Amino acid sequence: MRGSLWPIPLLGVVVAIALGVGLPAVDEVLEDGGGASPLTFVFGGGPSAARDLLAAIAGSLISVTGLVFSLTVVALQLGSSQYSPRLLATFVTDRVVQLTLAQLVLTFVYALTVLRTVRTQDASESDYAFVPRLSITVAYLLTLGAVVALVLFLGHLARSLRVETMLRDVHDEAVDTYDDVLGTDPPGPRSAVRLPEGPATPLAATSSGFLVEVDEQALAAAARGCDALVVLDLRIGDSVVAGTPLAHAWAPPGTDLDPLRRALGTAVELDFERATRSDVAYSLRKVVDIAARALSSGINDPTTAVHALSHVSALLGDLVHRRLEPVEAHDEDGVLRVVVPQWDLPALLHVALEEPLEYAGGSPAVLRRLAGLLRELAWRAPEGTVDDAVREGVERVCRVAAETTSVPSEETAVWRRSVEDALAGTWAPRLHPHGTETG
């Protein structure tokens, strides 16, 4: 529901129908025998003028709604082709977009619903003329609100198409996911999961997709019935292929694992695309995609890549203070039954560096920012968590710089030394070489 565009606009349609039915009934109660309303500053025209006004409101709003959102989708498609196709999901979940669409369709449906209550007196019929003056006045006010919402939406759209705004939105999305999934508790010592002795039985996936959610408690209940321990092979966000092992189970010999297989099929949620609600690596993946796309030969925008890598550094720096631990589920007796692996810092750093390093050749500014990213991560990470990965990363950055750019060896030596100093808890001030920047 949170990731769909339609719930709030659909709620607007329901509200519009309720208002379109309820307010004309209020008008009938308020109206005197002559067709006048005791309220001041309400619509004062006749049935013909009321119909023309409501028809104009409905016709113009549905046309504007279709035109604006058609142009918006075209603009976002162009933006997604330049930055990342996965950014369209961020647009769909944008509350401003949802509320604007709700305002437009609410006014349209309300005008149509009120239009059906306008009656013209006919000499051959006993019905008297009826003009729902309060209802038409509300339709006029809703139209003014729709115009204001349209203007604000166009300004919001212009800001949303800027890459800096997209990066900020993905960054905020990532922090929300970290808070929901990882919490705010700092990392601490943790004992490794001890697996039972003996061979494990692989449990195959029954369908394909991306792993987006796991109901650990339901799976733990099924594992308790089989006296088994289930350890998933894949993390949230990994690709699952039907027929391949999704998990392994340790159970007493001769145990019937069919109930556990059925429970695994229902407790594990797969989808055709990754979702941010439980996937701590997906938002980072989006930012890395923007950086990699900016470095492509067709776009060649190293400044955007530098800005994206700054967000990557901030996200990794946030994650070093979170508890990146496997999710464990115990049964009612406290026995460990389910283990779901989690992304760790070296794996996330690999996601952050792999593609930017692949395409950063010949771009000194990007390589300097990558070296700065590693220095910042080395400074913020607890001792021993990513030391080897950071050292390997800075060596790769220096090697690419030496092979593809004219960056002097003295500068790459500074990169290595600054990373080692940060790992040792020292951040010495230094002057950047003339004409360089770190983002």
Side-chain angles (χ1 to χ4, degrees):
M1 296 290 286
R2 288 182 298 179
S4 301
L5 181 63
W6 58 267
I8 293 180
L10 182 60
L11 178 61
V13 172
V14 174
V15 171
I17 295 175
L19 289 176
V21 173
L23 284 182
V26 175
D27 274 305
E28 289 186 347
V29 174
L30 294 176
E31 185 184 80
D32 59 20
S37 173
L39 302 176
T40 57
F41 303 107
V42 294
F43 179 76
S48 179
R51 283 177 173 162
D52 290 343
L53 178 60
L54 292 173
I57 291 174
S60 60
L61 277 176
I62 195 61
S63 299
V64 168
T65 301
L67 176 62
V68 167
F69 279 86
S70 296
L71 294 176
T72 301
V73 170
V74 172
L76 288 170
Q77 286 177 339
L78 292 175
S80 67
S81 64
Q82 184 172 1
Y83 304 123
S84 173
R86 278 151 291 283
L87 294 178
L88 283 175
T90 304
F91 165 75
V92 170
T93 58
D94 190 336
R95 283 288 180 260
V96 175
V97 175
Q98 296 175 344
L99 291 173
T100 302
L101 179 58
Q103 174 71 24
L104 295 176
V105 299
L106 184 153
T107 307
F108 166 72
V109 174
Y110 175 79
L112 283 183
T113 307
V114 173
L115 181 60
R116 56 185 283 277
T117 65
V118 180
R119 295 193 298 270
T120 304
Q121 187 173 10
D122 195 327
S124 61
E125 298 179 359
S126 59
D127 290 341
Y128 61 89
F130 174 65
V131 178
R133 303 187 185 279
L134 175 62
S135 303
I136 295 174
T137 304
V138 171
Y140 174 74
L141 295 176
L142 288 175
T143 304
L144 292 180
V147 172
V148 173
L150 179 60
V151 173
L152 296 177
F153 171 74
L154 292 176
H156 175 77
L157 178 62
R159 291 192 302 272
S160 299
L161 290 178
R162 297 173 62 240
V163 65
E164 289 81 4
T165 304
M166 294 181 181
L167 287 169
R168 182 204 63 193
D169 291 342
V170 176
H171 190 130
D172 294 342
E173 174 188 81
V175 173
D176 291 340
T177 301
Y178 300 163
D179 290 340
D180 292 340
V181 177
L182 305 176
T184 57
D185 295 334
R190 179 183 175 88
S191 58
V193 177
R194 298 187 61 181
L195 300 178
E197 297 181 357
T201 302
L203 304 177
T206 57
S207 59
S208 301
F210 290 97
L211 181 58
V212 298
E213 196 76 62
V214 178
D215 188 347
E216 297 91 359
Q217 297 304 320
L219 191 56
R224 184 176 188 270
C226 299
D227 191 21
L229 170 64
V230 179
V231 178
L232 266 68
D233 288 0
L234 303 175
R235 302 161 296 198
I236 301 294
D238 285 338
S239 176
V240 178
V241 177
T244 60
L246 174 59
H248 280 82
W250 283 262
T255 303
D256 182 12
L257 294 181
D258 286 341
L260 190 55
R261 291 187 176 91
R262 291 192 294 268
L264 183 66
T266 58
V268 172
E269 180 183 351
L270 304 180
D271 203 349
F272 66 94
E273 64 177 345
R274 296 171 70 175
T276 58
R277 63 180 183 269
S278 299
D279 189 349
V280 298
Y282 190 35
S283 296
L284 181 66
R285 175 78 265 173
K286 292 180 184 180
V287 180
V288 172
D289 282 352
I290 295 175
R293 187 68 63 90
L295 293 173
S296 65
S297 58
I299 297 177
N300 193 22
D301 183 8
T303 301
T304 294
V306 168
H307 291 180
L309 291 173
S310 296
H311 283 273
V312 170
S313 178
L315 292 177
L316 291 174
D318 188 334
L319 285 168
V320 300
H321 300 294
R322 310 274 187 165
R323 298 181 70 91
L324 288 167
E325 301 171 344
V327 178
E328 298 180 356
H330 299 76
D331 61 16
E332 299 173 353
D333 300 325
V335 178
L336 179 62
R337 294 300 183 185
V338 176
V339 178
V340 181
Q342 180 60 276
W343 292 84
D344 56 21
L345 278 176
L348 292 170
L349 180 59
H350 179 75
V351 171
L353 293 181
E354 184 179 28
E355 291 183 3
L357 266 177
E358 187 72 23
Y359 302 114
S363 181
V366 177
L367 293 169
R368 290 188 184 101
R369 190 65 194 94
L370 285 168
L373 181 156
L374 291 166
R375 185 191 188 201
E376 292 153 1
L377 181 61
W379 174 262
R380 300 189 65 180
E383 182 179 358
T385 54
V386 290
D387 294 13
D388 293 339
V390 167
R391 289 190 177 99
E392 179 185 354
V394 74
E395 288 300 326
R396 292 178 61 193
V397 172
C398 293
R399 185 167 58 251
V400 173
E403 294 174 353
T404 64
T405 70
S406 59
V407 174
S409 59
E410 293 82 3
E411 184 177 347
T412 57
V414 172
W415 298 352
R416 292 188 180 94
R417 186 167 59 252
S418 63
V419 168
E420 289 295 336
D421 290 344
L423 288 172
T426 302
W427 189 285
R430 66 182 177 89
L431 294 176
H432 298 297
H434 178 69
T436 65
E437 59 181 345
T438 58

